[in-house]
Amino acid sequence: VISTQMPEACEAELLESLEKLTARIARLGPINLAAIDEYKTEAERKHYLDAQNDDLIEALETLENAIRKIDKETRNRFKETFEQVNSGLQELFPKVFGGGHAYLALTGDDLLDTGITIMARPPGKRNSTIHLLSGGEKALTAIALVFSIFRLNPAPFCMLDEVDAPLDDANVGRYARMVEQMSSQVQFIYITHNKIAMEMADQLMGVTMHEPGCSRMVTVNVEEAA
């Protein structure tokens, strides 16, 4: 004979377990029967966004690699150009001053954002920055710097506008001789009111007022006139 009666202790445990399970189900609240479909939709969107995020990370890495490559190339080219211009300045400065010494100095350690200062020592003066020089000395130093850059990357012609204005006659002569030396490679067009600079030119073009209120252009070939 098989008994179908359950011990009271076992029945009590099952009732207690049933009550706990019922309470847990009640705490879940209303059941969303569309949750499975919504989960599929959101899962697809997550997969799409993850793919987009991976693409962005890959693009960011590509850009960072490109930036590092550009920075490296920029540093190398800047260093090379700086050394060449500095060498040219050291060579031309004594020519325009008749002596002395000048060089370029970096103001920072990082070549990408460093500044550049000009240290110049004209004959008879102490070494100092260009800010402590006179107007004429600044002009001559600037001429030496511009010409050193121009030698690095020459153009078919160069225009100079009243560059010799702050210079005395001795310095104008040095400036004129430098322009004459460089004129073998570059055609110079310069504006001046200085007789010494005019004597250096091969062609003279000017404006004259033979009659009051009536201006006209005058062109002179110095070699033919001589």
Side-chain angles (χ1 to χ4, degrees):
V1 178
I2 300 175
S3 176
T4 57
Q5 294 182 351
M6 297 179 59
E8 294 182 0
C10 183
E11 183 180 356
E13 291 177 359
L14 291 176
L15 289 174
E16 183 180 356
S17 177
L18 179 61
E19 290 177 357
K20 291 181 178 180
L21 185 59
T22 302
R24 291 176 61 185
I25 294 174
R27 287 196 299 269
L28 291 177
I31 299 176
N32 182 9
L33 301 178
I36 297 177
D37 295 334
E38 292 178 357
Y39 171 78
K40 292 181 180 179
T41 302
E42 295 302 326
E44 292 177 358
R45 178 169 175 78
K46 181 180 182 302
H47 178 73
Y48 171 77
L49 293 177
D50 288 342
Q52 294 293 311
N53 183 65
D54 293 340
D55 290 342
L56 290 175
I57 293 176
E58 183 180 356
L60 182 60
E61 292 177 352
T62 302
L63 289 175
E64 290 176 346
N65 292 333
I67 290 173
R68 284 191 290 268
K69 183 177 180 181
I70 292 173
D71 287 348
K72 181 180 179 180
E73 181 68 18
T74 301
R75 286 188 179 95
N76 293 335
R77 296 189 63 178
F78 174 80
K79 182 180 180 181
E80 180 182 353
T81 303
F82 175 82
E83 291 174 351
Q84 293 179 0
V85 173
N86 194 17
S87 177
L89 176 64
Q90 294 177 23
E91 177 187 347
L92 294 178
F93 185 87
K95 293 183 179 180
V96 296
F97 275 93
H101 177 68
Y103 63 92
L104 299 176
L106 300 176
T107 60
D109 297 329
D110 190 355
L111 296 180
L112 292 179
D113 56 13
T114 183
I116 299 176
T117 185
I118 302 177
M119 303 299 295
R121 185 182 62 80
K125 289 193 174 184
R126 298 177 61 183
N127 190 38
S128 62
T129 63
I130 191 174
H131 304 290
L132 301 179
L133 302 179
S134 65
E137 291 169 339
K138 288 181 180 178
L140 284 177
T141 304
I143 291 172
L145 176 62
V146 171
F147 281 3
S148 64
I149 297 174
F150 203 75
R151 289 171 59 180
L152 178 64
N153 188 21
F157 66 90
C158 176
M159 177 171 288
L160 305 173
D161 186 5
E162 298 285 0
V163 174
D164 53 9
L167 306 180
D168 56 22
D169 290 346
N171 288 326
V172 170
R174 297 190 186 97
Y175 154 74
R177 285 191 293 273
M178 178 184 294
V179 173
E180 187 175 13
Q181 292 174 1
M182 296 186 64
S183 63
S184 60
Q185 299 177 343
V186 180
Q187 180 180 4
F188 284 92
I189 303 172
Y190 58 93
I191 302 171
T192 183
H193 292 88
N194 190 286
K195 294 181 179 179
I196 298 176
M198 292 181 187
E199 292 174 356
M200 172 190 66
D202 297 326
Q203 296 279 344
L204 290 177
M205 297 183 63
V207 180
T208 183
M209 187 178 292
H210 183 69
E211 300 177 1
C214 182
S215 300
R216 67 172 181 170
M217 296 292 298
V218 177
T219 303
V220 177
N221 186 307
V222 179
E223 184 177 355
E224 292 180 357

